[in-house]
Amino acid sequence: MYDTPTLERYAEVLFWALSRARTSPYKKSDFILVNYDIDGLSLAEEVCSLLHDKGMIPIPRMNETPRMQVDRYTKANNKRLTTIFPGQRDLYNHLNGSISIYAPASLAHLSNIDPELIAMYSKAQQPLRGIMQTREDMGAFSWTLCMYPTQALAAQAGITLEEYARQIEMACYLNKPEPTVQWRQFAKKVDELTEWLDSFGDCAMHVESASVDLNVRIGQHRKWVGFTGRNIPSFELYVSPDMRHTNGVYKSTLPTFRSGNIIGDIQLIFKDGRVTKVTADHNQAFVEQQLNQDPGAALVGEFALVDKRFSPISKFMANTLYDENHGGENGSMHIALGNSYANTFSGHAEQLTEDTRKNLGFNSSSLHWDLVNTEEKRVVAQLPNGERKTIYENGKFSL
């Protein structure tokens, strides 16, 4: 799909992003896990080659194929489904980084699998995610992920494979001779914007569009976060708001995929933080199951805005990584139901205990589901002193 020079540039971007995502520099012989789908093998090979050149120790690991995933859910009993393989904890306790290459051969193969089984498996993997989070908080670990174009993705997005590949190429600046230079320039702009947004403090945000009339409270001890290096590409600026103060109506306008299910036009009505009513154009039962899987699943964990001047993503891409960064004519926003991001806490990571999370309104859940709205909108901040300030309009931040 991509020629060797393009793959080499892609690998360089991923390593640069991985390094930016970590609070301490990488050193020789660090262990880097390289997860990849089989259709992304050519990029995985280039990434492993670069890691060797950098003096790292790559650990390549191919993800399960669609059939393997289906067999896991249909043939394993609950005990086998929730078992963590021997050696997994030891591996994760020694990892210094992780690069994931998402290149799915199928998007709908899990659509007939019981969502409770999928949730059960995900919860069973939580100890491994916990290890990675702890090591990340220590500055000993970072991660990044990306996509590689596949026919399955292109078909679901309704565009050709060549068009899909072109969108990735533009979004990651792979069409530039030195894409990491472009990312550094963008990161500088993002740092200026997050500093500006942080200056508003614990304000209330009112979002209004054709189908959104939503009020969100940012909360105390928050900071806005932009390009961290954890996703390539990433054009969003986001914060984890106070989960207790979301009110109004929100509607997603881009379809969303989850566990093999595609759902469009999800409308949520919030009162005092919680979803009190949800409707979807189809797969209603699946949506309700997702929101009922734990107490935090029906609360907001993320609020994000994308400036159309930054994001070249203009097409529906049938994947959250790209769709949540949609630029297009109007820019975009998204909220995520479920877990909050600890990196939007303005204090030190070790201070964000479970009690502190609860007191500050940081949500906790096994769910994190991004729902994107691409309508023209206006976002007004009501500051603690009562002043009202438009921070986003016509798809752009007002700075």
Side-chain angles (χ1 to χ4, degrees):
M1 173 52 62
Y2 292 131
D3 59 21
T4 299
T6 302
L7 291 171
E8 290 174 346
R9 290 194 293 272
Y10 208 165
E12 288 282 359
V13 168
L14 291 173
F15 184 73
W16 177 79
L18 188 72
S19 300
R20 178 178 169 85
R22 186 165 144 164
T23 56
S24 60
Y26 277 96
K27 59 183 184 296
K28 300 291 186 182
S29 298
D30 275 348
F31 294 105
I32 313 295
L33 182 66
V34 181
N35 283 310
Y36 64 94
D37 293 320
I38 192 168
D39 285 358
L41 176 61
S42 59
L43 178 56
E45 290 176 331
E46 207 61 58
V47 167
C48 288
S49 177
L50 178 64
L51 291 173
H52 281 300
D53 292 341
K54 299 286 187 180
M56 310 292 162
I57 301 176
I59 305 174
R61 186 168 68 177
M62 194 184 86
N63 298 324
E64 293 173 315
T65 64
R67 177 182 170 179
M68 290 175 183
Q69 290 181 343
V70 171
D71 285 346
R72 179 215 302 157
Y73 290 116
T74 57
K75 296 186 176 184
N77 61 21
N78 289 356
K79 180 180 178 180
R80 295 197 295 272
L81 190 62
T82 56
T83 296
I84 293 178
F85 304 149
Q88 287 279 80
R89 285 184 172 86
D90 184 57
L91 171 64
Y92 278 66
N93 272 308
H94 287 85
L95 287 179
N96 305 107
S98 170
I99 297 174
S100 296
I101 300 167
Y102 181 71
S106 169
L107 298 180
H109 57 284
L110 297 181
S111 59
N112 294 321
I113 301 298
D114 184 347
E116 291 188 7
L117 292 177
I118 297 174
M120 184 188 303
Y121 175 78
S122 177
K123 289 179 181 178
Q125 301 301 305
Q126 181 59 38
L128 300 180
R129 293 192 291 269
I131 292 171
M132 289 189 291
Q133 184 63 61
T134 299
R135 290 184 59 76
E136 187 174 10
D137 293 343
M138 294 166 51
F141 177 85
S142 65
W143 58 270
T144 192
L145 61 87
C146 72
M147 282 209 321
Y148 191 86
T150 67
Q151 189 59 55
L153 286 166
Q156 192 63 65
I159 58 179
T160 67
L161 182 57
E162 290 72 22
E163 288 176 309
Y164 202 99
R166 177 63 175 163
Q167 284 282 301
I168 291 179
E169 191 174 2
M170 291 190 300
C172 299
Y173 302 129
L174 305 181
N175 55 337
K176 305 293 185 181
E178 295 183 69
T180 55
V181 173
Q182 304 294 130
W183 280 113
R184 286 188 178 93
Q185 293 172 349
F186 168 67
K188 183 177 179 181
K189 295 175 183 175
V190 166
D191 290 343
E192 294 171 358
L193 275 171
T194 54
E195 183 178 354
W196 174 66
L197 289 168
D198 285 341
S199 71
F200 301 140
D202 179 16
C203 64
M205 295 280 185
H206 179 235
V207 184
E208 190 170 11
S209 73
S211 59
V212 175
D213 185 4
L214 189 71
N215 290 287
V216 175
R217 175 81 173 268
I218 299 304
Q220 296 181 344
H221 301 288
R222 299 304 204 275
K223 64 178 180 180
W224 285 77
V225 177
F227 180 67
T228 62
R230 293 188 179 95
N231 294 330
I232 291 293
S234 178
F235 302 104
E236 60 174 324
L237 274 71
Y238 64 91
V239 67
S240 287
D242 190 326
M243 64 182 182
R244 300 165 292 193
H245 300 287
T246 307
N247 288 282
V249 181
Y250 183 81
K251 186 176 183 180
S252 63
T253 59
L254 284 185
T256 178
F257 276 93
R258 191 163 190 86
S259 302
N261 295 272
I262 182 170
I263 309 105
D265 294 336
I266 299 175
Q267 185 184 69
L268 305 166
I269 298 178
F270 291 90
K271 184 176 181 180
D272 297 331
R274 185 169 296 277
V275 175
T276 57
K277 183 179 180 181
V278 57
T279 57
D281 63 355
H282 58 281
N283 283 332
Q284 176 81 19
F286 174 82
V287 175
E288 291 177 355
Q289 188 279 333
Q290 294 297 295
L291 270 61
N292 289 322
Q293 64 180 263
D294 60 44
L299 299 164
V300 172
E302 179 189 5
F303 173 76
L305 296 165
V306 177
D307 191 312
K308 67 180 182 181
R309 294 171 296 181
F310 301 146
S311 173
I313 302 169
S314 60
K315 297 181 183 297
F316 170 59
M317 297 289 281
N319 181 266
T320 299
L321 174 60
Y322 276 70
D323 292 331
E324 72 174 0
N325 287 290
H326 186 91
E329 295 182 3
N330 302 316
S332 68
M333 71 164 289
H334 62 272
I335 62 171
L337 294 174
N339 203 47
S340 295
Y341 284 128
N343 64 333
T344 67
F345 173 59
S346 60
H348 293 293
E350 61 271 14
Q351 296 175 320
L352 194 61
T353 62
E354 284 303 313
D355 285 343
T356 303
R357 286 180 70 98
K358 185 176 180 180
N359 291 337
L360 293 177
F362 279 87
N363 195 22
S364 295
S365 174
S366 60
L367 181 74
H368 187 88
W369 191 3
D370 296 291
L371 301 171
V372 183
N373 179 286
T374 60
E375 296 171 329
E376 183 178 351
K377 61 182 56 66
R378 185 175 186 228
V379 182
V380 177
Q382 183 170 335
L383 308 186
N385 63 6
E387 179 186 357
R388 293 173 65 84
K389 184 176 182 63
T390 298
I391 67 158
Y392 185 94
E393 194 171 20
N394 299 320
K396 299 179 289 185
F397 287 103
S398 302
L399 179 63

